[in-house]
Amino acid sequence: MTEKWTDFPATALTWEKRNGQLRVPVPELTEGIAASLSCYPSKAKDMRAIALPTERVPDWQRKAIQKLQQLLERYRALRVYLDICVQCGACSDKCHFYLGTADPNNMPVARANLLRKVYRFYFRPVEKILGGEAEAFNEKVLREWYTYFYQCSECRRCSVFCPYGIDTAEITMAAREIMAEIGVATKYVTEVVAKVYERGNNLGIPAPAWIDNCQFLEEELKNETGKDIRLPVDEVGAEVLLVAPSADNFANTDTMMGYAKLFYALGISWTTSTYASEGGNFGLFLNYRNLKRVNKRIIDAAKQLKVKRIIWGECGHAWRAAIYTNTLNGPMDFLDPPYPIHICQFTAEMIQRGALKIDKTANDDLIVTYHDPCNAARAGSLIEEPRAMIRATCNKFVEMPRNTIREKTFCCGAGGGLLTDELMPIRMAGGKPRAEACRSTGATYLATPCAICKAQLPEVMKHWKVPVKVGGVHDLLSRALIL
Ligand code: SF4
Ligand code: SF4
């Protein structure tokens, strides 16, 4: 389980030693900037829309500790994570944000300690007396929480290397939940959740524009294939409700057209919903109530449209939230099967059954590598199916170094609600390990089934000068599928 910086390809990361710490030099990232880079705060109108206090509540310290107590009672694992860390440091250099910024508070153990010291102060008086670091929840601590729990992409990489399996992402989620309770949240995350309630999706695409985009893609498909391949919307009685990231309708249209060709080739009726036109769930990055409420829209849409199954599209955190559906808003017993399905699972199974005709040579102009989105791989066990799809559709597939893939994948640097411009230097710094692993493959196409990764990685690759195109997995299927 050990990982040393020397495990990376020699040609890849160029490290330098500064102040006794190994770090990746990042031109825009000056020493200490991580401490001063925070997300813009939420707007009152968005907080109101998502049922959170519009400003910091007057008795915020007491409310925060009350919330921490509730979380400790509800999630026993949280208490265990806070209690059992032996401060061994095995997780320290496993976080892309620490590797990129060298800010000690971006070491997973130090990040978790920001909450642990408050926990000790209020709930572990003996440890406090014995000398464990403890601190009251005060203005300084709140500022540290706001900065560093929003410099964690909740990717869980550190947990893979912790000998006790301590999941710092869960600690980050608890801290964000507490901050939301007292009226402290970020503009980006709250704006996105508010857009879902107002318009059904993260991008705020209104229903008429959603339908227009679908019609436009149908015309594109007609021009390309000569066939009437549909992108149905709000069709009652369709077999499948597809909940893809809204970015697939608007920006990652090759992926969207790939889904459409897939269902056409299989002769399966499907639809999207203008009420729940989003697979992503930013409630996951904010608090439980909004996670549940966003997820419920999908269940409600499925019932309203009388579909037989729900298939989630190419999005990492959408899949992480999807697998909680039965717990959040189940049972899904009106569906067959009564559990969520990921589009890559579905397609891989169809390929395995021989239900699709594929010409792999259609992708011979590409050398393809694969980026495991952290939420898909570590939180959603979606590891083999996208690879099976790539192997079935491409002749030239090359994996990134083994300590950067599958469960050990590096985050793109913008998951967890961090895909926001004010964090750009941190995002570029955090994306460097992924960029260098990609460079080492010589690939010309980086496939990844995640809308956040598809938005972040082109910026990262450009920044670190890695000449690779970033796209979806169904984009490759789209090129190779014989209709
Ligand atoms: S969950 Fe990911 S981003 Fe957060 S501390 Fe761990 S490795 Fe870093
Ligand atoms: S590896 Fe685990 S036990 Fe060691 S410091 Fe990190 S979280 Fe604590």
Side-chain angles (χ1 to χ4, degrees), residues 188 192 196 199-205 210 213-214 217 231 241-257 259 270-273 276-282 285 294 298 310-320 322 341-344 373 382 419 448-455 471-475:
Y188 175 54
V192 166
V196 170
R199 296 191 166 169
N201 58 71
N202 289 0
L203 295 182
I205 303 169
W210 182 271
N213 288 350
C214 288
L217 295 181
L231 280 91
L241 170 63
L242 178 78
V243 280
S246 51
D248 288 356
N249 171 276
F250 180 72
N252 306 319
T253 49
D254 287 342
T255 311
M256 196 76 196
M257 290 193 283
Y259 307 147
W270 66 292
T271 187
T272 53
S273 155
S277 46
E278 180 63 59
N281 187 334
F282 269 42
F285 308 142
V294 171
I298 294 170
I310 310 173
I311 297 184
W312 269 261
E314 291 194 5
C315 180
H317 84 271
W319 183 234
R320 179 169 178 177
I341 306 165
H342 191 282
I343 188 91
C344 289
L382 193 81
L419 186 73
T448 187
C450 177
I452 301 285
C453 302
K454 284 177 201 166
V473 182
H474 280 79
D475 310 34

Coordinates of all heavy atoms in Angstrom, one line a residue, residues 188 192 196 199-205 210 213-214 217 231 241-257 259 270-273 276-282 285 294 298 310-320 322 341-344 373 382 419 448-455 471-475:
Y188 N -21.0 28.6 -5.9 CA -21.1 27.7 -7.0 C -22.0 26.5 -6.7 O -22.9 26.2 -7.4 CB -19.7 27.2 -7.4 CG -19.6 26.1 -8.4 CD1 -20.3 26.3 -9.7 CD2 -19.0 24.9 -8.2 CE1 -20.3 25.3 -10.6 CE2 -19.0 23.9 -9.2 CZ -19.6 24.1 -10.4 OH -19.6 23.1 -11.3
V192 N -25.9 25.9 -8.2 CA -26.2 24.7 -9.0 C -27.4 24.0 -8.5 O -28.4 23.6 -9.2 CB -25.0 23.8 -9.1 CG1 -25.4 22.4 -9.6 CG2 -23.9 24.4 -10.0
V196 N -31.4 23.4 -10.2 CA -32.1 22.1 -10.4 C -33.5 22.3 -10.0 O -34.4 21.8 -10.6 CB -31.4 21.0 -9.5 CG1 -32.2 19.7 -9.5 CG2 -30.0 20.7 -10.1
R199 N -35.1 24.7 -12.7 CA -35.2 24.3 -14.1 C -34.9 22.8 -14.4 O -34.9 22.4 -15.6 CB -34.2 25.2 -14.9 CG -34.6 26.6 -14.9 CD -33.8 27.5 -15.9 NE -34.5 28.8 -16.0 CZ -33.9 29.8 -16.6 NH1 -32.8 29.7 -17.2 NH2 -34.6 30.9 -16.7
G200 N -34.6 22.1 -13.4 CA -34.4 20.6 -13.6 C -33.0 20.2 -13.8 O -32.8 19.0 -13.9
N201 N -32.1 21.1 -14.0 CA -30.7 20.7 -14.3 C -29.7 21.7 -13.8 O -30.0 22.8 -13.5 CB -30.5 20.4 -15.8 CG -30.8 21.6 -16.6 OD1 -30.1 22.6 -16.6 ND2 -31.9 21.6 -17.3
N202 N -28.4 21.2 -13.6 CA -27.3 22.0 -13.1 C -27.0 23.2 -13.9 O -26.5 24.2 -13.3 CB -26.1 21.1 -13.0 CG -26.2 20.0 -11.9 OD1 -27.2 19.9 -11.2 ND2 -25.1 19.3 -11.8
L203 N -27.2 23.1 -15.2 CA -26.8 24.3 -16.0 C -27.9 25.3 -16.2 O -27.7 26.4 -16.7 CB -26.4 23.8 -17.4 CG -25.2 22.9 -17.5 CD1 -24.9 22.5 -19.0 CD2 -24.0 23.5 -16.9
G204 N -29.1 25.0 -15.6 CA -30.2 25.9 -15.7 C -30.8 26.0 -17.1 O -31.3 27.1 -17.5
I205 N -30.7 24.9 -17.9 CA -31.3 24.9 -19.3 C -32.8 24.8 -19.1 O -33.3 23.8 -18.6 CB -30.7 23.7 -20.1 CG1 -29.2 23.7 -20.1 CG2 -31.3 23.7 -21.5 CD1 -28.6 22.4 -20.7
W210 N -34.0 22.7 -23.8 CA -33.6 21.3 -23.7 C -34.2 20.5 -24.9 O -33.5 19.8 -25.6 CB -34.2 20.7 -22.4 CG -33.8 19.3 -22.2 CD1 -34.5 18.2 -22.7 CD2 -32.6 18.8 -21.6 NE1 -33.9 17.0 -22.3 CE2 -32.7 17.3 -21.6 CE3 -31.6 19.4 -20.9 CZ2 -31.7 16.5 -21.1 CZ3 -30.6 18.5 -20.4 CH2 -30.7 17.1 -20.5
N213 N -32.4 21.6 -28.1 CA -31.1 20.9 -28.2 C -31.2 19.5 -28.7 O -30.4 19.0 -29.5 CB -30.3 20.9 -26.9 CG -29.9 22.3 -26.5 OD1 -29.9 23.2 -27.3 ND2 -29.4 22.4 -25.3
C214 N -32.2 18.8 -28.2 CA -32.5 17.4 -28.6 C -32.8 17.3 -30.1 O -32.3 16.5 -30.8 CB -33.6 16.8 -27.8 SG -33.1 16.4 -26.1
L217 N -29.7 17.8 -32.2 CA -28.9 16.6 -32.2 C -29.5 15.5 -33.1 O -28.8 14.8 -33.8 CB -28.7 16.1 -30.8 CG -27.9 17.0 -29.9 CD1 -27.7 16.3 -28.5 CD2 -26.5 17.4 -30.5
L231 N -34.0 11.6 -30.0 CA -33.7 11.9 -28.6 C -35.0 12.4 -28.0 O -35.3 13.6 -27.8 CB -32.6 13.1 -28.6 CG -31.2 12.6 -28.8 CD1 -30.8 12.7 -30.3 CD2 -30.2 13.5 -28.0
L241 N -35.7 5.6 -18.6 CA -35.5 7.1 -18.4 C -34.0 7.3 -18.3 O -33.3 6.6 -17.4 CB -36.1 7.5 -17.1 CG -35.7 8.9 -16.6 CD1 -36.2 10.0 -17.6 CD2 -36.3 9.2 -15.2
L242 N -33.4 8.1 -19.2 CA -32.0 8.4 -19.1 C -31.8 9.6 -18.4 O -32.3 10.7 -18.7 CB -31.4 8.5 -20.5 CG -29.9 8.9 -20.5 CD1 -29.0 7.6 -20.3 CD2 -29.5 9.5 -21.9
V243 N -31.0 9.6 -17.3 CA -30.6 10.8 -16.6 C -29.1 11.0 -16.7 O -28.3 10.5 -16.0 CB -31.0 10.8 -15.1 CG1 -32.5 11.1 -14.9 CG2 -30.7 9.5 -14.4
A244 N -28.8 11.8 -17.8 CA -27.4 12.1 -18.1 C -27.1 13.4 -17.4 O -28.0 14.2 -17.1 CB -27.2 12.1 -19.6
P245 N -25.8 13.8 -17.3 CA -25.5 15.1 -16.9 C -26.0 16.1 -18.0 O -25.9 15.8 -19.2 CB -23.9 15.1 -16.8 CG -23.5 13.9 -17.6 CD -24.6 13.0 -17.5
S246 N -26.5 17.3 -17.5 CA -27.1 18.2 -18.5 C -26.0 18.7 -19.5 O -26.3 19.1 -20.6 CB -27.7 19.4 -17.8 OG -26.9 20.0 -16.8
A247 N -24.8 18.6 -19.1 CA -23.7 19.0 -20.0 C -23.7 18.2 -21.2 O -23.2 18.6 -22.3 CB -22.3 18.9 -19.3
D248 N -24.2 16.9 -21.2 CA -24.2 16.1 -22.4 C -25.2 16.6 -23.4 O -25.0 16.4 -24.6 CB -24.6 14.6 -22.0 CG -23.4 13.9 -21.2 OD1 -22.3 14.5 -21.1 OD2 -23.6 12.8 -20.8
N249 N -26.2 17.3 -22.9 CA -27.2 17.8 -23.9 C -26.7 19.1 -24.5 O -27.1 19.4 -25.6 CB -28.5 18.1 -23.0 CG -29.6 18.9 -23.8 OD1 -29.5 20.2 -23.9 ND2 -30.5 18.3 -24.4
F250 N -25.8 19.8 -23.8 CA -25.4 21.1 -24.2 C -24.0 21.2 -24.8 O -23.7 21.9 -25.7 CB -25.6 22.0 -23.0 CG -25.2 23.4 -23.2 CD1 -26.0 24.3 -23.9 CD2 -24.0 24.0 -22.6 CE1 -25.7 25.6 -24.1 CE2 -23.7 25.3 -22.8 CZ -24.5 26.1 -23.6
A251 N -23.1 20.5 -24.1 CA -21.6 20.6 -24.4 C -21.0 19.3 -24.9 O -20.4 19.3 -26.0 CB -20.8 21.2 -23.2
N252 N -21.2 18.3 -24.2 CA -20.6 17.0 -24.6 C -21.6 16.2 -25.5 O -22.0 15.1 -25.2 CB -20.3 16.1 -23.4 CG -19.5 16.9 -22.4 OD1 -18.6 17.6 -22.7 ND2 -19.8 16.8 -21.1
T253 N -21.9 16.8 -26.6 CA -23.0 16.3 -27.5 C -22.6 15.0 -28.2 O -23.5 14.2 -28.6 CB -23.4 17.4 -28.5 OG1 -22.2 17.9 -29.2 CG2 -24.1 18.5 -27.8
D254 N -21.3 14.8 -28.4 CA -20.9 13.5 -29.0 C -21.3 12.3 -28.1 O -21.6 11.3 -28.5 CB -19.4 13.5 -29.2 CG -19.0 14.4 -30.4 OD1 -19.9 14.7 -31.2 OD2 -17.8 14.7 -30.5
T255 N -21.2 12.6 -26.7 CA -21.6 11.6 -25.8 C -23.1 11.3 -25.9 O -23.5 10.2 -25.9 CB -21.2 12.0 -24.4 OG1 -19.9 12.5 -24.3 CG2 -21.4 10.9 -23.4
M256 N -23.8 12.4 -25.9 CA -25.3 12.3 -26.0 C -25.7 11.6 -27.3 O -26.6 10.7 -27.2 CB -25.9 13.8 -26.0 CG -27.3 13.8 -25.7 SD -27.6 13.6 -23.9 CE -29.4 13.2 -23.9
M257 N -25.1 11.9 -28.4 CA -25.4 11.2 -29.6 C -25.0 9.7 -29.6 O -25.7 8.9 -30.2 CB -24.8 11.9 -30.8 CG -25.4 13.3 -31.1 SD -25.0 14.1 -32.6 CE -23.3 14.6 -32.3
Y259 N -25.3 7.9 -26.8 CA -26.5 7.2 -26.1 C -27.6 7.0 -27.1 O -28.2 5.9 -27.1 CB -27.0 8.1 -25.0 CG -26.1 8.6 -23.9 CD1 -26.4 9.9 -23.4 CD2 -25.0 7.9 -23.5 CE1 -25.6 10.4 -22.4 CE2 -24.2 8.4 -22.5 CZ -24.5 9.7 -21.9 OH -23.7 10.2 -21.0
W270 N -36.7 5.1 -25.1 CA -36.1 5.8 -24.0 C -36.6 7.2 -24.0 O -37.2 7.7 -25.0 CB -34.6 5.7 -24.1 CG -34.0 6.4 -25.3 CD1 -34.1 6.1 -26.6 CD2 -33.2 7.7 -25.2 NE1 -33.4 7.0 -27.4 CE2 -32.8 8.0 -26.5 CE3 -32.8 8.5 -24.2 CZ2 -32.1 9.1 -26.9 CZ3 -32.0 9.6 -24.5 CH2 -31.7 9.9 -25.8
T271 N -36.3 7.9 -23.0 CA -36.7 9.3 -22.9 C -35.8 10.1 -21.9 O -35.2 9.4 -21.0 CB -38.1 9.5 -22.5 OG1 -38.5 10.9 -22.6 CG2 -38.4 9.0 -21.1
T272 N -35.7 11.4 -22.1 CA -35.2 12.2 -21.0 C -36.4 12.9 -20.4 O -37.5 12.9 -21.0 CB -34.2 13.2 -21.5 OG1 -34.7 14.0 -22.6 CG2 -32.9 12.6 -22.0
S273 N -36.2 13.6 -19.3 CA -37.3 14.3 -18.6 C -36.9 15.7 -18.4 O -35.8 16.0 -18.0 CB -37.5 13.6 -17.2 OG -38.1 14.5 -16.3
A276 N -36.5 16.3 -14.5 CA -35.3 15.8 -14.0 C -34.3 15.5 -15.1 O -33.9 14.4 -15.4 CB -35.5 14.5 -13.2
S277 N -33.8 16.7 -15.7 CA -32.9 16.6 -16.8 C -31.5 16.6 -16.4 O -30.6 17.2 -17.0 CB -33.2 17.7 -17.8 OG -33.4 18.9 -17.1
E278 N -31.2 16.0 -15.2 CA -29.8 16.1 -14.7 C -29.5 14.8 -13.9 O -30.3 14.4 -13.0 CB -29.7 17.3 -13.7 CG -28.4 17.4 -13.1 CD -27.3 17.7 -14.1 OE1 -27.4 18.7 -14.8 OE2 -26.3 16.9 -14.1
G279 N -28.4 14.2 -14.2 CA -28.0 13.0 -13.4 C -27.2 13.4 -12.2 O -27.2 12.8 -11.2
G280 N -26.5 14.6 -12.4 CA -25.6 15.0 -11.3 C -26.4 15.4 -10.1 O -27.6 15.7 -10.2
N281 N -25.7 15.5 -8.9 CA -26.4 15.8 -7.7 C -25.5 16.6 -6.8 O -24.7 16.0 -6.0 CB -26.9 14.5 -7.0 CG -27.8 14.8 -5.8 OD1 -27.7 15.9 -5.2 ND2 -28.7 13.9 -5.5
F282 N -25.5 17.9 -6.9 CA -24.6 18.7 -6.1 C -25.0 18.8 -4.6 O -24.3 19.3 -3.8 CB -24.5 20.1 -6.6 CG -23.4 20.3 -7.6 CD1 -23.1 19.3 -8.6 CD2 -22.6 21.4 -7.6 CE1 -22.1 19.5 -9.5 CE2 -21.5 21.6 -8.5 CZ -21.3 20.6 -9.4
F285 N -22.5 17.5 -2.3 CA -21.4 18.4 -1.9 C -21.8 19.4 -0.9 O -21.1 20.3 -0.6 CB -20.8 19.1 -3.2 CG -20.4 18.2 -4.3 CD1 -20.7 18.5 -5.6 CD2 -19.9 16.9 -4.0 CE1 -20.3 17.7 -6.7 CE2 -19.6 16.1 -5.1 CZ -19.8 16.4 -6.4
V294 N -32.8 16.4 -4.4 CA -32.4 16.4 -5.8 C -32.6 14.9 -6.4 O -33.2 14.8 -7.5 CB -30.9 16.8 -6.0 CG1 -30.5 16.6 -7.5 CG2 -30.7 18.3 -5.7
I298 N -35.7 12.5 -9.6 CA -35.5 11.5 -10.6 C -36.5 10.4 -10.4 O -37.1 9.9 -11.3 CB -34.0 11.0 -10.5 CG1 -33.0 12.1 -10.9 CG2 -33.8 9.7 -11.4 CD1 -31.6 11.8 -10.7
I310 N -34.3 3.1 -14.8 CA -33.6 4.4 -14.9 C -32.1 4.0 -15.2 O -31.5 3.2 -14.5 CB -33.6 5.2 -13.6 CG1 -35.1 5.3 -13.1 CG2 -33.0 6.6 -13.8 CD1 -35.2 5.9 -11.7
I311 N -31.6 4.7 -16.2 CA -30.1 4.5 -16.5 C -29.5 5.9 -16.3 O -29.9 6.9 -16.9 CB -29.9 4.0 -17.9 CG1 -30.5 2.6 -18.1 CG2 -28.4 4.0 -18.3 CD1 -30.3 1.9 -19.4
W312 N -28.4 5.9 -15.5 CA -27.6 7.2 -15.3 C -26.6 7.3 -16.4 O -25.9 6.3 -16.7 CB -27.0 7.1 -13.9 CG -27.9 7.8 -12.8 CD1 -27.8 9.0 -12.3 CD2 -29.0 7.1 -12.1 NE1 -28.7 9.2 -11.4 CE2 -29.5 8.1 -11.2 CE3 -29.6 5.9 -12.2 CZ2 -30.6 7.8 -10.4 CZ3 -30.7 5.6 -11.3 CH2 -31.1 6.6 -10.5
G313 N -26.3 8.5 -16.8 CA -25.4 8.7 -17.9 C -23.9 8.9 -17.4 O -23.6 8.5 -16.2
E314 N -23.1 9.4 -18.2 CA -21.6 9.5 -17.9 C -21.4 10.7 -16.9 O -21.1 11.8 -17.3 CB -20.8 9.7 -19.2 CG -20.8 8.5 -20.1 CD -19.8 8.6 -21.2 OE1 -19.0 9.5 -21.2 OE2 -19.7 7.7 -22.0
C315 N -21.4 10.4 -15.7 CA -21.1 11.4 -14.6 C -20.7 10.7 -13.4 O -21.4 9.8 -12.9 CB -22.2 12.3 -14.4 SG -21.8 13.6 -13.1
G316 N -19.5 11.0 -12.8 CA -18.9 10.3 -11.7 C -19.8 10.5 -10.4 O -20.2 9.5 -9.8
H317 N -19.9 11.8 -10.0 CA -20.6 12.0 -8.7 C -22.1 11.7 -8.9 O -22.8 11.3 -7.9 CB -20.4 13.4 -8.2 CG -21.3 14.4 -8.8 ND1 -21.1 15.1 -9.9 CD2 -22.5 14.9 -8.3 CE1 -22.1 15.9 -10.2 NE2 -23.0 15.8 -9.2
A318 N -22.7 11.8 -10.1 CA -24.1 11.4 -10.3 C -24.2 9.9 -9.9 O -25.2 9.5 -9.3 CB -24.5 11.6 -11.8
W319 N -23.2 9.1 -10.3 CA -23.3 7.7 -10.1 C -23.2 7.4 -8.6 O -23.8 6.5 -8.0 CB -22.3 6.9 -10.9 CG -22.3 5.4 -10.7 CD1 -21.3 4.6 -10.4 CD2 -23.5 4.6 -10.9 NE1 -21.7 3.3 -10.3 CE2 -23.1 3.3 -10.6 CE3 -24.8 4.8 -11.3 CZ2 -23.9 2.2 -10.7 CZ3 -25.7 3.7 -11.3 CH2 -25.2 2.4 -11.1
R320 N -22.3 8.1 -7.9 CA -22.1 8.0 -6.4 C -23.5 8.3 -5.7 O -23.9 7.5 -4.9 CB -21.1 8.9 -5.9 CG -20.9 8.8 -4.4 CD -19.6 9.5 -4.0 NE -19.3 9.6 -2.6 CZ -18.2 10.1 -2.1 NH1 -17.3 10.7 -2.9 NH2 -18.0 10.1 -0.8
A322 N -26.4 8.2 -7.2 CA -27.4 7.2 -7.7 C -27.4 6.0 -6.9 O -28.5 5.4 -6.6 CB -27.1 6.9 -9.2
I341 N -28.9 1.8 -12.7 CA -28.0 1.2 -13.7 C -27.2 2.3 -14.3 O -27.7 3.4 -14.6 CB -28.8 0.5 -14.8 CG1 -29.8 -0.5 -14.3 CG2 -27.9 -0.1 -15.9 CD1 -30.8 -0.9 -15.3
H342 N -25.9 2.1 -14.5 CA -25.0 3.0 -15.1 C -25.0 2.7 -16.6 O -24.9 1.5 -17.0 CB -23.6 3.0 -14.5 CG -22.8 4.2 -15.0 ND1 -22.2 4.2 -16.2 CD2 -22.5 5.4 -14.4 CE1 -21.5 5.4 -16.4 NE2 -21.7 6.1 -15.3
I343 N -25.0 3.7 -17.4 CA -25.0 3.5 -18.9 C -23.8 2.6 -19.4 O -23.9 1.8 -20.3 CB -25.0 4.9 -19.7 CG1 -25.2 4.7 -21.2 CG2 -23.8 5.7 -19.4 CD1 -26.6 4.7 -21.6
C344 N -22.6 2.8 -18.7 CA -21.5 1.9 -19.1 C -21.7 0.5 -18.7 O -21.3 -0.4 -19.4 CB -20.2 2.4 -18.4 SG -19.6 4.0 -19.1
P373 N -13.0 8.4 -13.2 CA -13.5 9.4 -12.3 C -13.5 8.9 -10.9 O -13.9 7.7 -10.7 CB -14.9 9.7 -12.8 CG -14.9 9.1 -14.2 CD -14.0 7.9 -14.2
L382 N -17.3 1.4 -10.5 CA -17.4 1.3 -12.0 C -16.0 1.4 -12.6 O -15.4 2.4 -12.8 CB -18.2 2.5 -12.5 CG -18.6 2.4 -14.0 CD1 -19.9 1.6 -14.1 CD2 -18.9 3.8 -14.5
L419 N -15.4 23.0 -9.3 CA -15.2 23.4 -10.7 C -15.6 24.8 -10.9 O -16.6 25.2 -11.6 CB -16.0 22.5 -11.6 CG -15.9 22.6 -13.1 CD1 -14.6 22.1 -13.6 CD2 -17.0 22.0 -13.9
T448 N -13.2 9.5 -20.6 CA -13.7 9.5 -19.2 C -15.2 9.7 -19.1 O -15.8 10.5 -19.8 CB -13.0 10.6 -18.4 OG1 -13.3 10.4 -17.0 CG2 -13.3 12.0 -18.8
P449 N -15.9 8.9 -18.3 CA -17.3 9.0 -18.2 C -17.8 9.9 -17.1 O -18.4 9.5 -16.1 CB -17.8 7.5 -17.9 CG -16.6 7.0 -17.1 CD -15.4 7.7 -17.6
C450 N -17.4 11.2 -17.2 CA -17.8 12.2 -16.2 C -17.8 13.6 -16.8 O -16.8 14.0 -17.4 CB -16.8 12.1 -15.0 SG -17.2 13.3 -13.8
A451 N -18.9 14.3 -16.6 CA -19.1 15.6 -17.1 C -18.1 16.6 -16.4 O -17.6 17.5 -17.1 CB -20.5 16.1 -17.0
I452 N -17.9 16.4 -15.1 CA -17.0 17.3 -14.4 C -15.6 17.1 -14.9 O -14.9 18.1 -15.3 CB -17.0 17.1 -12.9 CG1 -18.4 17.2 -12.3 CG2 -16.0 18.0 -12.2 CD1 -18.9 18.6 -12.2
C453 N -15.1 15.9 -15.1 CA -13.8 15.6 -15.6 C -13.7 16.1 -17.0 O -12.6 16.7 -17.4 CB -13.5 14.1 -15.6 SG -13.6 13.3 -14.0
K454 N -14.8 16.0 -17.8 CA -14.7 16.5 -19.2 C -14.6 18.0 -19.3 O -14.2 18.6 -20.3 CB -16.0 16.1 -20.0 CG -15.9 14.6 -20.3 CD -17.3 14.2 -21.0 CE -17.5 12.7 -21.0 NZ -18.9 12.4 -21.3
A455 N -15.1 18.7 -18.2 CA -14.9 20.2 -18.2 C -13.6 20.6 -17.6 O -13.0 21.6 -18.1 CB -16.0 20.8 -17.3
G471 N -12.7 13.3 -24.0 CA -14.1 13.0 -24.4 C -14.7 11.9 -23.6 O -14.0 11.3 -22.7
G472 N -15.9 11.5 -24.0 CA -16.6 10.4 -23.3 C -16.2 9.1 -23.8 O -15.5 8.9 -24.8
V473 N -16.8 8.1 -23.1 CA -16.6 6.7 -23.6 C -17.6 6.3 -24.7 O -17.3 5.7 -25.6 CB -16.8 5.7 -22.3 CG1 -16.5 4.3 -22.8 CG2 -15.8 6.1 -21.2
H474 N -18.8 6.9 -24.5 CA -19.9 6.6 -25.5 C -19.6 7.4 -26.8 O -20.1 7.1 -27.9 CB -21.3 7.0 -25.0 CG -21.8 5.8 -24.2 ND1 -21.4 5.6 -22.9 CD2 -22.6 4.8 -24.5 CE1 -22.0 4.5 -22.4 NE2 -22.7 4.0 -23.3
D475 N -18.7 8.4 -26.8 CA -18.2 9.0 -28.0 C -17.5 8.0 -28.9 O -17.6 8.0 -30.1 CB -17.2 10.2 -27.7 CG -17.8 11.1 -26.7 OD1 -18.4 10.7 -25.7 OD2 -17.4 12.3 -26.7

